[in-house]
Amino acid sequence: MAQVAVGHVVPSAFLVFSLLFSSCFLASGVGADEVHEVFGRTLDPKLMGLKKEKLSHFRFYWHDIVSGKNPSSIEVIHSPIVNSSLLLGFGLVHMFDNRLTISGDINSKLVGRAQGFYAQADLDELALLMTQNFVFLEGKYNGSTITVLGRNSILNTVRELPIVGGSGAFRFARGYVQARTYNFDLNTLDATVEYNVYVLHYE
Ligand SMILES: *[C@@H]1O[C@H](CO)[C@@H](O)[C@H](O)[C@H]1NC(C)=O
Ligand SMILES: *[C@@H]1O[C@H](CO)[C@@H](O)[C@H](O)[C@H]1NC(C)=O
């Protein structure tokens, strides 16, 4: 009988000890690396360096180069719909890695790149579905990204697209961008667009 009792006591003491031990880890906020068995928990934003959300404004120029020997924007899906009254057929998709420069001149200072795709997503007018990551190359923002996803009705003077997130200095980013056509060459179809970015972020 004594042997059976001991056999029960030892494992349950061990269990209680482990439970206590793991809740100590939780209470002291030990990093996720040490607490492999915890799936989700609440964190204090301040412990992650997230003190005050701030609003930043960036302005740069986006160059969609479709012509010449080195285009930065290429058609990857051709539209099966021919409609001469629309410049881009429904379903057309362009993949791009466009230069972002400080002024409207493509040879001015490079501040980042815009990588993504746009697709003609409106049957009746020119309106693109755009998905793009702005990859910044300047100073403290070097390597950080902002992700923009939205509708771009390119014939309107000002188009607004939402910022859906970011990385690096733009973790937890939210906000919007305003796009204005700066130059559109009807012969080459190359376009330069001014972007004003209004973004809430922490760094
Ligand atoms: C072409 O687009 C115009 C303008 O939206 C529209 O009125 C017309 O029906 C379209 N034609 C075809 C063949 O889709
Ligand atoms: C940005 O980061 C890359 C890679 O770390 C580095 O090669 C480059 O010199 C940096 N550019 C600036 C302007 O700091």
Side-chain angles (χ1 to χ4, degrees):
M1 287 301 277
Q3 267 181 328
V4 172
V6 167
H8 277 286
V9 166
V10 173
S12 43
F14 182 72
L15 184 69
V16 168
F17 183 73
S18 335
L19 283 172
L20 276 174
F21 202 58
S22 56
S23 49
C24 282
F25 268 123
L26 279 179
S28 62
V30 169
D33 290 350
E34 278 111 321
V35 194
H36 297 288
E37 70 273 22
V38 177
F39 173 60
R41 61 189 173 133
T42 305
L43 287 178
D44 179 352
K46 287 193 183 72
L47 291 178
M48 289 187 69
L50 302 170
K51 290 182 189 88
K52 199 167 181 301
E53 200 176 32
K54 63 185 182 189
L55 176 64
S56 296
H57 170 229
F58 298 92
R59 182 172 60 204
F60 45 75
Y61 293 79
W62 180 97
H63 303 273
D64 196 51
I65 305 302
V66 299
S67 68
K69 285 205 181 96
N70 294 305
S72 63
S73 177
I74 61 166
E75 186 179 297
V76 291
I77 297 179
H78 191 65
S79 169
I81 295 178
V82 178
N83 186 337
S84 54
S85 69
L86 291 177
L87 198 60
L88 309 172
F90 183 75
L92 171 136
V93 177
H94 262 241
M95 196 85 208
F96 59 84
D97 182 357
N98 287 346
R99 287 170 72 88
L100 299 176
T101 60
I102 196 76
S103 83
D105 175 1
I106 192 168
N107 296 312
S108 64
K109 186 181 172 61
L110 185 74
V111 294
R113 317 186 69 88
Q115 301 172 338
F117 61 83
Y118 56 77
Q120 166 59 7
D122 193 308
L123 282 166
D124 300 321
E125 58 178 283
L126 278 173
L128 308 177
L129 162 67
M130 285 191 88
T131 304
Q132 57 181 329
N133 295 314
F134 295 144
V135 189
F136 290 90
L137 298 170
E138 261 300 280
K140 66 178 278 201
Y141 303 107
N142 192 7
S144 293
T145 66
I146 288 178
T147 301
V148 172
L149 170 69
R151 180 175 190 265
N152 189 352
S153 47
I154 57 178
L155 296 182
N156 289 0
T157 312
V158 184
R159 293 87 71 181
E160 184 174 311
L161 291 85
I163 289 169
V164 296
S167 72
F170 301 109
R171 285 175 178 173
F172 296 102
R174 56 206 175 100
Y176 63 95
V177 304
Q178 286 183 329
R180 290 175 177 80
T181 303
Y182 176 78
N183 188 49
F184 181 62
D185 188 323
L186 274 171
N187 295 317
T188 61
L189 303 183
D190 291 344
T192 299
V193 177
E194 177 189 332
Y195 270 85
N196 280 277
V197 175
Y198 300 91
V199 59
L200 286 165
H201 63 115
Y202 289 91
E203 272 183 54

